Amino acid sequence: MPSPAQPAVAVITPTGLNPTRLPFLEELYESLRAQEEVTWQWIVAPNGPQANPDLIPRAITRDPRVKVIARPGPGPAPARNTALNYVDAPRCAFADDDDRLATPLSLAIRNEHAVAAGLRWVAGRSADWDPRSGNLSTWMCPTPVGPLAAGEVLSYWPDPLASKPPLGHCMLLTDTALARAVGHGGLHKGEDYSFVLGVCARAAGELLPDVVYHRRVHDGQWSAEETYRDQAEFDSRTHAWLKGVAELELRAEPSVQRAA
């Protein structure tokens, strides 16, 4: 078992530890173990009434690079936020418990580019992955590949009620300080929208052409259910959009000089 070297990147995964999804969690772990040219830590944050940490497979918990931070009932948004308390790495990313990292360089390619370019966030593309058929469908998001000024991502999302944000939460790798400063709010759903718009409005970044994340297609996908698109979800979109607008407005204000 590898020793816990100083991690360059932390990956945070909130999970309800649904027994039917435990094999997915193990696949995510295997995609982490396959990562090359980067040191990492994985912070698993069980949350919800059924999230018994004892359900996590022993192969995962015995890895010294893994921290299990149990949160009995707050839900994924607070679990993501408080998991950031335990990050030891200068950069972090988020991965859902039913997905996986796309390639062995998923973390390294974003981390190395962030370091070399001096950027606080770098994203790669995401692909929908159907393990039953083996099909991969890359999401050609509205945000274009290349460098992006602070707040520019918002310009590719003119109407929050017409679509989801133009960049995905798990596509991002961010400076840990920036992730902590922005956070996920306390939303029941759509907390990832708030995080994406906050990060991209606060700092310049870049979208790479490389696919770095595989979003699993399966029957239990909550966001694919008809009931997911309700008023709470639309309110979350609006909240995220207004957050981006507010960041731009605050940046445009002249600096306030405090009296000596």
Side-chain angles (χ1 to χ4, degrees):
M1 187 65 65
S3 61
Q6 177 63 36
V9 174
V11 177
I12 294 173
T13 300
T15 176
L17 291 179
N18 183 323
T20 64
R21 291 166 70 127
L22 290 177
F24 302 163
L25 191 69
E26 291 184 89
E27 288 185 60
L28 173 56
Y29 173 59
E30 289 304 317
S31 75
L32 274 164
R33 289 187 63 206
Q35 294 303 295
E36 300 173 358
E37 300 180 23
V38 67
T39 53
W40 54 267
Q41 68 179 152
W42 189 24
I43 300 175
V44 182
N47 62 92
Q50 308 302 318
N52 180 358
D54 292 339
L55 293 174
I56 300 174
R58 176 64 179 151
I60 292 174
T61 58
R62 71 185 180 191
D63 190 327
R65 297 170 294 183
V66 177
K67 293 182 180 181
V68 177
I69 308 298
R71 294 289 177 264
R80 285 186 173 116
N81 286 338
T82 55
L84 283 164
N85 298 348
Y86 301 88
V87 168
D88 300 313
R91 291 175 184 81
C92 63
F94 293 87
D96 291 341
D97 68 351
D98 52 347
D99 298 334
R100 70 177 184 181
L101 302 181
T103 74
L105 294 176
S106 289
L107 295 178
I109 194 169
R110 286 175 286 172
N111 184 62
E112 291 172 5
H113 193 78
V115 172
L119 295 171
R120 291 196 177 275
W121 66 266
V122 171
R125 291 197 182 279
S126 174
D128 285 345
W129 161 55
D130 187 340
R132 292 166 294 190
S133 66
N135 288 339
L136 283 171
S137 177
T138 301
W139 180 40
M140 307 306 289
C141 62
T143 302
V145 166
L148 295 151
E152 186 178 350
V153 168
L154 186 66
S155 68
Y156 302 105
W157 196 30
D159 183 355
L161 300 186
S163 66
K164 295 192 297 183
L167 206 62
H169 178 253
C170 294
M171 296 160 66
L172 291 168
L173 185 142
T174 75
D175 181 290
T176 299
L178 177 60
R180 287 173 172 152
V182 170
H184 294 78
L187 301 167
H188 169 59
K189 59 175 68 171
E191 72 278 0
D192 50 336
Y193 309 159
S194 178
F195 182 79
V196 168
L197 268 294
V199 163
C200 296
R202 184 131 354 154
E206 186 165 349
L207 174 60
L208 305 179
D210 309 81
V211 174
V212 299
Y213 193 77
H214 285 168
R215 181 178 177 272
R216 184 189 299 266
V217 176
H218 64 98
D219 295 337
Q221 191 66 263
W222 184 38
S223 58
E225 295 176 2
E226 291 185 6
T227 55
Y228 186 79
R229 300 284 179 262
D230 60 6
Q231 188 58 51
E233 197 264 346
F234 283 104
D235 280 344
S236 293
R237 292 187 193 184
T238 303
H239 166 80
W241 191 84
L242 290 173
K243 185 174 190 174
V245 170
E247 288 277 7
L248 290 177
E249 291 176 345
L250 290 170
R251 180 172 288 102
E253 288 182 1
S255 299
V256 177
Q257 299 295 323
R258 291 182 179 273

